Amino acid sequence: MTKRDVFEYALVRVVPRMERGECFNAGVIVYCRAKSYVAARTHLDEVRLLALDPQADVAGVRAALRAVEGLCAGGESAGQAAGDEPGRRFRWLIAPRSTVVQPGPVHTGLTADPEAEVERLLDLLVR
C-alpha cells in the first residue's frame, strides 16, 4: 500500500461585488506538511467574472491570482515571504480577507502525491 500523507487545501474564490456576495472558484491551494509542499493553481473564467460584474477589472483579478501562485512557488515571485517555510506561506494565503480574490475554508485529505492533488482538485472544483 502506498503511504499517504495528510494535506490541507483551500479554494481561491473571486467575489467581484462584495455587496452581492456572489462568488466562483478560480483556484486551489494545497499544503502538505509531511512533504514540505505548498502550491497553487488558478484558472480564471472571464465569462463568469464579467457575467457577475460587467465592470470587473479582469487584469487586476488575473494579477491577484498570479500573486497567489507566486507566493506558493517562493523565490523572487514570493516577495517578502520568499524565505518563509511552506506552512507559513499557506497560512498567510488562507487568512480571511475582504478583497475580490479571497480564500475559502480549509479542508483536509490524504494523498500520496500532493502535486497531482493540486491538478486533480483544480479539475474537479474549478474548471
Side-chain angles (χ1 to χ4, degrees):
M1 182 170 196
T2 304
K3 181 183 182 300
R4 297 188 307 165
D5 296 304
V6 173
F7 76 97
E8 298 173 72
Y9 73 94
L11 290 166
V12 178
R13 297 178 175 165
V14 174
V15 186
R17 294 182 55 197
M18 299 290 276
E19 69 278 7
R20 292 184 62 132
E22 298 168 329
C23 66
F24 64 93
N25 298 337
V28 64
I29 308 166
V30 169
Y31 170 58
C32 180
R33 181 177 178 196
K35 302 278 188 195
S36 192
Y37 176 87
V38 66
R41 299 290 185 276
T42 62
H43 172 79
L44 180 59
D45 184 336
E46 289 183 25
V47 171
R48 185 177 283 177
L49 173 61
L50 294 171
L52 293 177
D53 182 1
Q55 307 305 316
D57 178 3
V58 176
V61 171
R62 191 172 301 288
L65 293 171
R66 277 194 310 268
V68 169
E69 290 183 358
L71 190 73
C72 285
E76 270 186 44
S77 61
Q80 288 181 308
D84 288 346
E85 63 185 56
R88 185 175 172 132
R89 292 195 312 264
F90 178 73
R91 298 285 171 234
W92 187 84
L93 285 167
I94 63 165
R97 49 186 50 88
S98 184
T99 61
V100 172
V101 174
Q102 55 186 256
V106 175
H107 306 280
T108 60
L110 295 172
T111 187
D113 184 356
E115 191 169 338
E117 206 62 50
V118 177
E119 296 301 328
R120 184 186 77 80
L121 290 170
L122 185 69
D123 286 339
L124 180 68
L125 302 171
V126 177
R127 290 189 181 138

